[in-house]
Amino acid sequence: MRLPLPPLEPIYRPLPGPREILAHAFGHNLANGIAAFLFAASGPGAMILAVGTAANLPAAFIASWLFSAYTLSGLLTLVFCTLYRQPLAIGYSMPAVVIIGPALMQYPFAELIGAYIVAGGLILGLALTGLVKRATAALPEPIVMAMIAGVFLPFGLRLMGAFDQAAPIAGAMAAAYLAAAAFPAFRARVPPLLASLLGGAIAVAATNSFAPPAGLAIETAAPILFAPVFSTEAIVEFSIPLAITVIAIHNIQGFAILKNAGYPPPENAATLICGAATPYYGIMGSVPTVVMGPANAILNVSGPQASRYIGGLWFGLFLILFGVYAPTAVAIGGALPTAFIAGLAGLAMLPVLQSAFVESFRGRFTFGALVTLLVTVADIEIFGIGSAFWGLVFGYTASRLVESGDFRARRESLSS
């Protein structure tokens, strides 16, 4: 029996023009785009570099990986933000980098690329059946938001750790953030994140904490097309965990954040593109494509809802530049103090964490939300799949057993 293809969400008309974009290009949108970019480029980019170096991959392989991970992500982000007028960030799977890190010691790079391509096929198949959207609709929002709270909580804790690492930098960033946030009239003109960024930059300069490597030069990354090898062992071990990571961890986060911000995310279209784009990422060395959770959260921290997509456009542009100049960009990012990156990410996550906790525990499904939060924060992998997925599984199961009345009330409210 032939399954009907799920309908793709219609694009927003009219498409934004240059005058509209320029009218709202600065202030909140620029600040959020910069903060989201620094978050996406610093730690994750350094992780790719560390994993590739530990596996003794040639420098050209690592550069191609970074090029595809960031340049293709930037292009897709520009497309989705423009077509749907929402800050929908497309990226690559950070947990996938962690999953395949040890695998690079055991499998040839080409076999892992084969596993990426198969994972993309699985994602595409699930998107074409429409199962992804139905599955996300079946999950109660408090349980999903509790998973998001559990995923983002470590970033808030790292903000506290930044005070131990470099108190002057973390203190300057926190003070600037609070000063901008305390006065509504000032906050409308200077976003707290921008104030924090500027305060941190001044503190970094004052403490001479920025130490770029000697002989730093501008270098561009050259993409390489790799021929995949389809190894049964690598496919069985990695393709299913990678597909689950994309659909049940990243994409659910990203869609829930957009819904919580008041947008109707194009779930079918975005999941479809994640599956279709993953093979292209893969043949240039990168792990699968995802809808980004933290970046979407940062892009929605502040500013008028109708123009936040422009922060996504900034984010996509910065990703493209980072990918093209990846060798130089990684060297500069690595020279920034850890406290600066941790402080900026932590401050950006404060409104997101506040909203996630409020949505998780203000009404129904609170027991399931609590179980989800605890399992997610525990950060324990099972069968190679991260704790965020298992948080949803165990939280939903616990809620089904203990909070059956909440499910009945939810069904009645949805049917009325």
Side-chain angles (χ1 to χ4, degrees), residues 334-362:
L336 288 169
T338 304
F340 177 79
I341 300 297
L344 189 64
L347 289 167
M349 289 300 167
L350 288 181
V352 183
L353 276 170
Q354 181 183 14
S355 176
F357 276 107
V358 168
E359 293 297 326
S360 299
F361 298 108
R362 70 176 179 178

Side-chain angles (χ1 to χ4, degrees), residues 38 162 165-166 169-170 173 196-202 204 336-345:
L38 288 175
Q165 295 167 345
I169 295 173
M173 297 179 77
S196 172
L197 180 66
L198 294 175
I202 293 170
V204 168
L336 288 169
T338 304
F340 177 79
I341 300 297
L344 189 64

